[in-house]
Amino acid sequence: MDNIKVFLMDDRGYLVAHPMLADPPLRPGNARRPVEHITHKESQVANDILNHKQLVTKKMCYNYVNRTVQRFYQFNMSLSASDVITNLMYGEKTKYQITLIPGTNMFLGIVNSTNDGGAFCPCSTVGNSCLNCNRMEQTECECPCECPLDYGVSEQDGGCATVPKRSKTAGSFPVPLCSPLPEELISMNAINYEADYELKSCTNINCEDYQTQSECMGLVGCEWCQVDVDGENRLNTPFCTAQLAALPGCLVRPHRTVMPLTPA
């Protein structure tokens, strides 16, 4: 029964449970691939399900944080409990069934991989780069990957603005912005930290202790005030103060003076 495998994956195709997840990763210490995808472990299944348009769609999005175009899989979570996806391509040696678990974003799959030689599903062995950034076809199997985000120049309102060039694979549809990855998909290997490093307490900054404009403007939360409350006359003695105590434009916020009550 070694040829019978059961797996769980989420709506992006990342495996939550699979018999081969206990195997060591192909690229140890690779922070760019924190979890395994169905294309990594079941390439024959991934190659076939791309023909089921009602099950999965290959998509792309812009990530301006690292200036990349992300390619990913999006599985349909609107399937009913009675919908069971099976082989579409005739003659495949690998037989599978996939269904949505109601009320979740999880998909349950069972695979009979007798005499499975695998399918060609290109994945980069270095980093997470796509092997072909000039095209993306719905039925072509490839691992989730990224391409450089190229910028072009367009004239707007008499000036110039940088805009991403239209992708050759995006067609006439606008490419959306990428949503942040869930915290559980961020590998701790990508975070540089030292276990024995002790963080020092934050320094309390008193803006009034700084006497020059250059010192004041370099402090977070401080503002150099040199204009009076009327917005026109300059102060004889400019000073540094907290931004909460100054009006926008370096105007001094007027202070209320509380006079003590004196008996008549």
Side-chain angles (χ1 to χ4, degrees):
M1 298 295 291
D2 293 339
N3 57 312
I4 305 296
K5 292 174 286 187
V6 178
F7 65 87
L8 283 174
M9 66 178 179
D10 64 11
D11 60 313
R12 292 294 185 94
Y14 289 101
L15 295 172
V16 176
H18 189 280
M20 295 177 63
L21 287 182
D23 297 341
L26 298 177
R27 291 173 284 169
N30 180 19
R32 304 301 297 276
R33 185 172 129 184
V35 290
E36 298 294 333
H37 196 262
I38 187 174
T39 52
H40 302 141
K41 300 300 184 183
E42 297 292 344
S43 59
Q44 193 73 50
V45 175
N47 186 66
D48 189 85
I49 61 177
L50 287 172
N51 295 281
H52 291 276
K53 294 183 179 180
Q54 79 277 17
L55 173 65
V56 60
T57 304
K58 287 173 62 177
K59 294 185 176 182
M60 59 192 303
C61 63
Y62 289 148
N63 187 339
Y64 288 102
V65 176
N66 57 7
R67 295 185 177 183
T68 58
V69 179
Q70 300 288 330
R71 295 182 183 177
F72 61 95
Y73 289 63
Q74 181 61 63
F75 285 80
N76 182 13
M77 293 192 297
S78 300
L79 296 177
S80 64
S82 60
D83 291 331
V84 178
I85 307 301
T86 59
N87 291 73
L88 185 63
M89 302 297 291
Y90 177 76
E92 295 290 346
K93 296 181 180 180
T94 297
K95 306 298 181 182
Y96 68 88
Q97 291 183 342
I98 298 177
T99 186
L100 174 67
I101 301 177
T104 71
N105 68 329
M106 306 300 296
F107 291 80
L108 174 65
I110 182 170
V111 182
N112 185 342
S113 55
T114 304
N115 299 323
D116 180 12
F120 179 67
C121 200
C123 303
S124 174
T125 57
V126 179
N128 197 34
S129 300
C130 301
L131 298 184
N132 188 352
C133 289
N134 293 322
R135 56 175 291 170
M136 185 184 76
E137 297 294 336
Q138 169 65 27
T139 57
E140 289 185 357
C141 184
E142 65 176 340
C143 298
C145 57
E146 63 187 23
C147 294
L149 179 58
D150 296 328
Y151 287 90
V153 178
S154 64
E155 295 183 358
Q156 294 181 352
D157 300 331
C160 293
T162 57
V163 294
K165 294 181 179 178
R166 181 179 296 275
S167 171
K168 297 180 181 180
T169 59
S172 58
F173 298 97
V175 178
L177 297 179
C178 298
S179 58
L181 280 176
E183 291 185 3
E184 59 268 19
L185 295 184
I186 301 176
S187 173
M188 291 301 295
N189 294 331
I191 303 176
N192 296 323
Y193 69 95
E194 297 180 9
D196 298 332
Y197 186 78
E198 295 182 0
L199 294 177
K200 298 181 180 180
S201 300
C202 297
T203 303
N204 293 325
I205 298 177
N206 186 13
C207 301
E208 284 73 13
D209 293 339
Y210 298 87
Q211 304 300 321
T212 64
Q213 182 177 0
S214 59
E215 292 177 337
C216 182
M217 298 303 291
L219 299 173
V220 177
C222 296
E223 190 165 350
W224 183 253
C225 294
Q226 57 187 3
V227 182
D228 208 341
V229 292
D230 56 10
E232 298 179 357
N233 298 321
R234 288 184 171 271
L235 296 173
N236 294 329
T237 306
F239 61 94
C240 185
T241 187
Q243 289 181 346
L244 295 178
L247 294 174
C250 300
L251 303 180
V252 180
R253 185 183 299 275
H255 297 280
R256 294 182 179 179
T257 302
V258 179
M259 300 297 293
L261 295 177
T262 56

